[in-house]
Amino acid sequence: MVLHTTPYSSACMHFLDGLSWSLVFPCYWLLDRLLASCVATSLEKRQRSQDPCSFLTLCVLITTPLYLLLLLTSLPFALLGFLIWAPLQAVRQPYLYTYSRPDKHQAEQGQAGPGAVGEWRPQGRSFCFCSANVCLLPDSLARFNNLSDTHRRAREVGKRIRNGASRPQIKIYIDSPTNTSISATSFSSLATGFRRTSSLDQRPEQTHTTNAPADAESEAVTECPVHSTGAVDCPVHPAAGDQGCPLHTDGADTVADCQLHPAGANNNSGESTDCPVHSPGSTDCPVHGEESQTQTQTQTSSDCPFHSSGVQISISAPEPDPQGEEAERGNHRGGEPGVGVDSGSMTASRESLSRYHGGDTGAGTTSNNTLTHVPRMSIFKRPGRKRRHGDETFDHEVSAFFPANLDFLALQEVFDHGSTTRLRRQLHRYFPFVLSDVGRYGWKGCCSRFKFLNSGLMLASRYPILDARFECYPNGRGEDALAAKGALFAKVHVGTSHQEQRVVGYLTCTHLHAIEGTVTLRCEQLDLLLRWGSEFRQSSSQTPEGEKVLEDLVAFDVILGDLNFDNCSSEDKLEQQHALFTQYKDPCRLGPGEDKPWALGTLLDPSGLYDDEVSSPEGLQKVMENEDGRKEYLVFPPSKSQCPANSQKGRKIPLKGNGRRIDYILYSDEGLNQDWKLEIEDFSFVTQLAGLTDHLSVAMRLAVSTGEEES
């Protein structure tokens, strides 16, 4: 089991690849710009209509002939480069594995680091998965989805993902079933009551990255005064002179039910001595307690209203490194990790819980397209958690943030080479292990047609990747045949049992055929997906001859990706009844053709991407929580009484369901130990990529319990 850390096996072929691409790239770039000038997004059309001097239109009329002239000049060089580049693709590796080792300072701040691969806890562990279609096509092709500036979007996508994933996870437990003074609603205004900036994110520190270029970007930093002397922008205390509680949108100076400001408390100053958060007696509070650097469950306290009468606050951050070994890079061979992994995870500290920074304000990035970095707070009652639907067994929500402590991320449509590099650079600040540049170009094996694009798949993990394999679907048609769409399989190491057995998990990232009217084609791809997955699990679990190695313990088997069919359309009945859904479970599905009431469509109407109502994560979240908003901005299954159209906005035809849900996270409990069980903790539809893609992201937290009690 060897992971490919370079595109080619020899330096000579790597040099020839770079030389050939340098000859092809000018022609490729000019052709992309020429086509992009002919296809305008709705935002560009709006800007041109507001241009009184028609300056933008004049620029297009001048640059288009120039692009065409330069394109014709570069064609001979591109042809020569293509003749060198195309044969090399036959021996190119099917993916690129990179590993980023955080430096000591960054690991201490909890900004990046591997998941804890120490001893497997008897009570089990929970893992968080996320899937997102980011539509990072070449700029000219992305414009057909009403998106542009692919390189900028790639960088911003990476920033927002690590911004959401690196947040601490805050849960508030209420022991008394009658004590409901602290509610989820009272904390929902946290994300809307704070100052917005162009891009708030964790401060990036320098990382040592294998096979990934260094990032020279610098970003300003501000800090919270609750956690650091001399800092600003505390979300709990507004600036001096501001009136009212920042947790309430009504602007009232005092609120009777506010847990932060009990009767008599004064909130008119930034450092109020009456604030219960800074009460001297509340030494156990995770906000100002010394023990808040890891995971804290506070005791009840009469001084701190967060802990009043049976209320407990838990802050979950990435766990500290149990071994403290220095990580080193390398290939995976046999049963050993391919790199000497620092097997712990990030350490939460007071500084890491509060550190902000103002991102770059690059061209095209507007302030309403980013989120303020606010810790996620969830309210639970113990015993028995109160759900949105009484018959559901797990939490579900529309979230403006990616889940805190995200462990695995599967991305689709990362086609553009420059965007892949930029996105990988951003993700490596949180995810140490990344599989990118997946799939082959040109002619190779089952991919008999020439592939101008790779698979577009990318997989990022906080746990070491032991083995990986890519398979290309052989039956692509139409424009989909130009891309090497397929399935990426990975085996990850998540722990070690008391008997020195490895605890592993299996991940599958895929993107099926997108063209409508090809039902049997997608069913064939699902058949291949199941067969390839079974073969990969069997081959990766085999031990070398002559070696006595204990059998791996499987913790989970999860499929993530864009399957390009939904569970409500009548045209997708064959896919809905496929054997995939007997081997794997869909948390959003009741049965073939019927989703759960809370399940949302994940495909956005491209024509409305730049509307003010949905151009920010908070705005898109509010729209998705409203039935009328979903009908306005989601793509719904076509009906016989409705003529096909590119835009669905403003239509009067009654719609059923909550839109087309084509992005999936499926899990299987087959192959697990007899006493081990899987339980979903929460499922969320994420809007943090608003304005950057035409899909909603989906996330799931899965708990793996072993049936044992911790001694």
Side-chain angles (χ1 to χ4, degrees), residues 436-485:
S436 60
D437 201 8
V438 180
R440 291 187 173 95
Y441 302 90
W443 296 278
K444 176 64 178 180
C446 69
C447 302
S448 56
R449 296 186 181 182
F450 189 89
K451 304 298 179 182
F452 290 94
L453 301 172
N454 62 13
S455 70
L457 302 176
M458 179 180 285
L459 182 64
S461 170
R462 290 181 59 235
Y463 291 87
I465 299 175
L466 300 176
D467 193 13
R469 178 188 299 176
F470 171 76
E471 298 287 351
C472 175
Y473 294 127
N475 56 352
R477 297 180 186 174
E479 56 266 29
D480 264 18
L482 301 178
K485 285 189 174 182

Side-chain angles (χ1 to χ4, degrees), residues 182-439:
I182 300 181
S183 64
T185 307
S186 66
F187 287 92
S188 63
S189 58
L190 278 171
T192 58
F194 299 159
R195 175 181 61 86
R196 286 181 186 169
T197 67
S198 60
S199 178
L200 286 176
D201 211 331
Q202 294 288 343
R203 178 182 181 182
E205 301 290 346
Q206 182 180 1
T207 58
H208 308 286
T209 307
T210 302
N211 306 317
D215 190 0
E217 297 175 4
S218 60
E219 298 167 356
V221 178
T222 58
E223 294 182 348
C224 174
V226 176
H227 311 106
S228 179
T229 305
V232 296
D233 296 338
C234 174
V236 178
H237 298 93
D242 291 352
Q243 301 294 328
C245 175
L247 300 184
H248 301 90
T249 56
D250 56 6
D253 289 344
T254 58
V255 180
D257 295 332
C258 178
Q259 295 301 310
L260 285 176
H261 305 98
N266 185 6
N267 189 39
N268 293 332
S269 65
E271 290 290 335
S272 173
T273 56
D274 296 330
C275 177
V277 175
H278 295 101
S279 179
S282 301
T283 58
D284 291 329
C285 180
V287 177
H288 47 21
E290 295 298 330
E291 299 300 322
S292 65
Q293 294 185 355
T294 56
Q295 180 173 347
T296 305
Q297 281 195 348
T298 64
Q299 305 297 327
T300 58
S301 172
S302 59
D303 297 325
C304 183
F306 277 111
H307 312 127
S308 60
S309 182
V311 178
Q312 292 183 323
I313 298 181
S314 172
I315 298 184
S316 301
E319 300 174 357
D321 178 11
Q323 299 179 5
E325 298 177 354
E326 184 178 359
E328 297 177 356
R329 58 158 299 210
N331 286 347
H332 291 227
R333 298 184 181 276
E336 297 297 327
V339 291
V341 180
D342 186 9
S343 57
S345 64
M346 300 182 295
T347 303
S349 65
R350 185 179 310 166
E351 187 176 3
S352 69
L353 297 181
S354 62
R355 176 162 294 184
Y356 298 3
H357 90 273
D360 54 359
T361 56
T365 306
T366 57
S367 61
N368 65 350
N369 263 354
T370 57
L371 270 177
T372 303
H373 185 99
V374 183
R376 173 191 174 197
M377 293 191 179
S378 304
I379 308 300
F380 301 96
K381 287 188 177 182
R382 204 191 288 171
R385 295 182 180 179
K386 184 178 180 180
R387 317 290 176 174
R388 290 190 181 180
H389 294 84
D391 57 348
E392 195 54 88
T393 59
F394 55 87
D395 299 317
H396 40 81
E397 64 175 342
V398 180
S399 174
F401 297 94
F402 280 92
N405 304 339
L406 180 61
D407 294 306
F408 306 102
L409 174 69
L411 300 178
Q412 302 87 46
E413 292 197 11
V414 188
F415 289 114
D416 185 74
H417 181 73
S419 299
T420 300
T421 303
R422 290 167 171 79
L423 179 58
R424 181 176 58 223
R425 186 181 304 160
Q426 294 294 331
L427 294 180
H428 262 314
R429 297 180 183 177
Y430 179 81
F431 295 99
F433 311 95
V434 174
L435 295 174
S436 60
D437 201 8
V438 180

